[in-house]
Amino acid sequence: MLRIEVGNPDTTTVRLALSGDLDFTSVSELSDLTLADGLHRLDVDLSGLDFIDSSGLAALIRLYHQAEEAHAVFQVTALTPYLRHLLHTTALDRLFRLPPA
Amino acid sequence: MLRIEVGNPDTTTVRLALSGDLDFTSVSELSDLTLADGLHRLDVDLSGLDFIDSSGLAALIRLYHQAEEAHAVFQVTALTPYLRHLLHTTALDRLFRLPPA
Amino acid sequence: MEATIALRLPRDAASVPLIRQMLDAALRSLGVVPDIRDDIELMLTEACSNVIKHADPSDEYTVSATVHNALCVIRVIDTGDGFDPHRLREAAPGAEGGRGVQIMRALADDVRFDNRREHGAIVCLEKRLSFLPDAPLKAG
Amino acid sequence: MEATIALRLPRDAASVPLIRQMLDAALRSLGVVPDIRDDIELMLTEACSNVIKHADPSDEYTVSATVHNALCVIRVIDTGDGFDPHRLREAAPGAEGGRGVQIMRALADDVRFDNRREHGAIVCLEKRLSFLPDAPLKAG
Ligand SMILES: Nc1ncnc2c1ncn2[C@@H]1O[C@H](COP(=O)(O)OP(=O)(O)O)[C@@H](O)[C@H]1O
Ligand SMILES: Nc1ncnc2c1ncn2[C@@H]1O[C@H](COP(=O)(O)OP(=O)(O)O)[C@@H](O)[C@H]1O
């Protein structure tokens, strides 16, 4: 089960808080999300995730590309040590420009 | 894991509250218990039990016999529906003189 | 869908909660209703504790559980001296022992005891399963 | 002690969380440390999702996991068209796909892909286990 909380701290910022399992079986819920025009900043809070697989990572990469296209800043926040390790394993820490641990 | 709480509401009454698993692997903790002399009443509260097997039932029968020998009143209290069903299945409801459900 | 769990275990009391917990977790994953899971935990515990208590001189035993077509079939196999199921007597009302087989017979939909003098006892327990409405797959 | 879980599953996405949960619960019962369980959940998920995504035209697949001597060996077997593991390329930095195999290789102690043209793919994943101090039995 994946839960997605969408927050709008201001009109040009979107904050997604994901919790539960982001995997092959649930990822479409995230992919189906459309981001409004005029986005300047997209924050994705992963602290509530219990599980993520390569399909979940692919969805994050897709969000990253959408933000890039909109010239918005993309940031993954609240990483657990496990997720940080996984993003490192898959070299996504560099793509997402994570600050060093 | 079995937990046993021993209460003495008055000097001639012992109240045992059992919780956790009362089975073949934990039953010796209950069998090792010795009841003080001058016992008039032994209450055994089973409401916290997650699991009981025939070895656990045997330990209850042993307590029942100890109480009988001491001419004390033995009572099983706070039965879950599952335990009531199991005591019925094994005819122990009659031995323990449970009131009808 | 068909699921099997099989364990080769030391004839050690600690093995009983282990297999009980493992099978219960598997049945929970499959969406089996709690009452049936409780019955299976107890049947299984009785069969395994009997191996620990009575199956001298074996030092290992095996447990397998298969779920298929909404039926759970459990086999507990030891290499002890076996026993004659026809010579079991019903437990006297106040007797402490002798309730394991009674419980298995009461809770299982089918119980079979099999015996080969040199190969120990085989206890086969069957239980029909019911599933929660949100059970994954049609585990049946 | 040796434990095996084996499932025959429909090639349906809902089967993936099921087997993941089942194996994780079994490893928890055995006292495997959480980090290793996390790695195994992920390796297993990658192998199974690949069957769902790529193993046309099979409609069932099997997963087995065996724990013995502190080693967990997982086999995911489908009857699809198979694939040539030597032709896999490393995923480009910004590519969305192609990370499943990379993850399996990173997390498993050993990964083997086997293929028979008419029999689909066999993915074999091995992971060395560590146990909590209070693990039951010597699951090792
Ligand atoms: N696996 C086994 N190997 C040998 N004997 C067994 C086995 N299982 C059961 N028995 C025999 O069946 C009898 C009845 O078992 P049970 O009803 O569980 O009561 P209890 O174990 O308290 O005696 C046991 O006393 C034992 O003689
Ligand atoms: N069970 C399988 N059957 C057929 N092809 C497979 C199987 N598993 C993997 N593959 C092939 O290996 C490729 C790489 O897999 P993977 O690294 O998981 O990335 P992705 O699934 O995102 O393509 C897949 O694109 C597919 O061609």
Side-chain angles (χ1 to χ4, degrees):
Chain A
M1 251 267 302
L2 175 68
R3 281 169 305 279
I4 307 177
E5 256 177 67
V6 186
N8 277 95
D10 60 63
T11 51
T12 60
T13 303
V14 170
R15 206 180 148 282
L16 300 178
L18 308 182
S19 53
D21 291 355
L22 178 58
D23 66 3
F24 177 59
T25 64
S26 63
V27 74
S28 63
E29 295 170 47
L30 186 58
S31 316
D32 289 351
L33 224 70
T34 48
L35 297 171
D37 285 342
L39 185 74
H40 284 175
R41 184 180 180 86
L42 174 60
D43 285 340
V44 187
D45 177 340
L46 303 178
S47 59
L49 279 191
D50 299 317
F51 184 75
I52 189 169
D53 70 355
S54 68
S55 306
L57 294 175
L60 294 183
I61 297 170
R62 209 145 48 229
L63 285 176
Y64 165 82
H65 286 311
Q66 284 180 259
E68 290 275 287
E69 267 165 44
H71 302 288
V73 176
F74 174 86
Q75 199 170 16
V76 190
T77 65
L79 287 174
T80 59
Y82 184 79
L83 274 178
R84 177 173 287 280
H85 172 73
L86 182 61
L87 292 180
H88 182 73
T89 300
T90 50
L92 293 178
D93 53 349
R94 271 173 287 151
L95 185 72
F96 295 162
R97 296 189 202 87
L98 292 189
Chain B
M1 251 265 304
L2 174 69
R3 282 169 304 279
I4 307 176
E5 256 178 68
V6 185
N8 277 95
D10 60 64
T11 51
T12 59
T13 303
V14 170
R15 209 181 145 280
L16 300 178
L18 308 182
S19 54
D21 291 355
L22 178 58
D23 66 2
F24 177 59
T25 64
S26 63
V27 75
S28 63
E29 295 170 47
L30 186 59
S31 316
D32 289 351
L33 224 70
T34 46
L35 297 172
D37 286 340
L39 185 74
H40 283 176
R41 186 179 180 85
L42 175 60
D43 285 341
V44 188
D45 177 341
L46 303 178
S47 59
L49 280 191
D50 298 317
F51 184 75
I52 188 169
D53 70 355
S54 68
S55 307
L57 294 176
L60 294 183
I61 297 170
R62 210 145 44 229
L63 285 177
Y64 165 80
H65 286 311
Q66 285 181 261
E68 291 273 288
E69 268 165 44
H71 303 286
V73 175
F74 174 85
Q75 198 170 16
V76 189
T77 65
L79 287 174
T80 59
Y82 184 78
L83 273 178
R84 177 173 285 280
H85 173 72
L86 183 60
L87 291 181
H88 182 72
T89 299
T90 50
L92 294 178
D93 53 349
R94 271 173 286 152
L95 185 70
F96 295 162
R97 295 187 202 91
L98 292 190
Chain C
M1 109 97 231
E2 177 171 343
T4 300
I5 293 187
L7 290 109
R8 195 158 48 77
L9 293 160
R11 203 174 133 243
D12 175 324
S15 66
V16 182
L18 171 67
I19 168 68
R20 180 164 82 221
Q21 219 180 306
M22 217 152 156
L23 183 58
D24 190 56
L27 295 172
R28 189 184 310 125
S29 302
L30 292 171
V32 174
V33 299
D35 279 6
I36 303 260
R37 286 188 356 239
D38 285 346
D39 285 353
I40 291 177
E41 277 197 73
L42 184 48
M43 287 154 48
L44 176 68
T45 299
E46 297 302 337
C48 294
S49 327
N50 275 348
V51 172
I52 313 294
K53 290 193 283 182
H54 305 297
D56 283 320
S58 55
D59 47 43
E60 282 196 335
Y61 70 111
T62 63
V63 176
S64 72
T66 299
V67 172
H68 185 47
N69 286 337
L71 188 70
C72 178
V73 180
I74 296 172
R75 273 193 191 76
V76 178
I77 303 176
D78 65 60
T79 54
D81 288 333
F83 66 107
D84 182 352
H86 301 293
R87 296 184 53 185
L88 297 176
R89 303 258 157 275
E90 212 172 290
E96 290 173 22
R99 293 180 194 279
V101 168
Q102 179 187 20
I103 290 176
M104 289 187 255
R105 289 203 166 118
L107 301 184
D109 291 312
D110 191 39
V111 183
R112 284 190 306 273
F113 298 103
D114 215 338
N115 255 287
R116 277 163 283 175
R117 202 141 266 305
E118 316 233 56
H119 301 271
I122 303 175
V123 177
C124 179
L125 304 163
E126 292 191 6
K127 184 80 178 174
R128 202 138 273 295
L129 303 178
S130 312
F131 296 89
L132 296 169
D134 61 350
L137 309 175
K138 305 119 281 179
Chain D
M1 107 100 232
E2 178 171 342
T4 300
I5 292 188
L7 290 110
R8 195 158 49 77
L9 294 160
R11 203 173 132 244
D12 174 324
S15 66
V16 183
L18 171 67
I19 167 69
R20 180 164 83 220
Q21 218 181 307
M22 217 152 154
L23 183 57
D24 191 55
L27 294 172
R28 188 183 311 125
S29 302
L30 292 172
V32 174
V33 299
D35 279 8
I36 303 259
R37 283 184 2 232
D38 285 347
D39 285 353
I40 291 177
E41 277 197 72
L42 185 47
M43 289 155 44
L44 176 69
T45 299
E46 297 302 337
C48 294
S49 332
N50 275 347
V51 172
I52 314 295
K53 290 193 283 183
H54 306 298
D56 284 320
S58 55
D59 47 41
E60 282 195 334
Y61 70 111
T62 63
V63 176
S64 71
T66 299
V67 172
H68 186 47
N69 287 338
L71 187 71
C72 178
V73 179
I74 296 172
R75 274 192 190 76
V76 179
I77 304 176
D78 66 60
T79 53
D81 287 334
F83 66 106
D84 183 352
H86 302 293
R87 298 185 53 186
L88 298 177
R89 304 257 157 274
E90 211 172 291
E96 289 172 23
R99 292 180 195 277
V101 169
Q102 180 188 18
I103 289 176
M104 289 187 253
R105 288 204 166 116
L107 300 184
D109 292 311
D110 192 38
V111 183
R112 286 189 306 273
F113 298 103
D114 214 338
N115 255 287
R116 275 163 283 175
R117 203 144 265 304
E118 315 232 54
H119 301 270
I122 303 175
V123 177
C124 179
L125 304 163
E126 292 191 6
K127 184 80 178 173
R128 203 138 273 295
L129 303 178
S130 310
F131 295 89
L132 296 170
D134 61 351
L137 309 176
K138 306 118 281 182

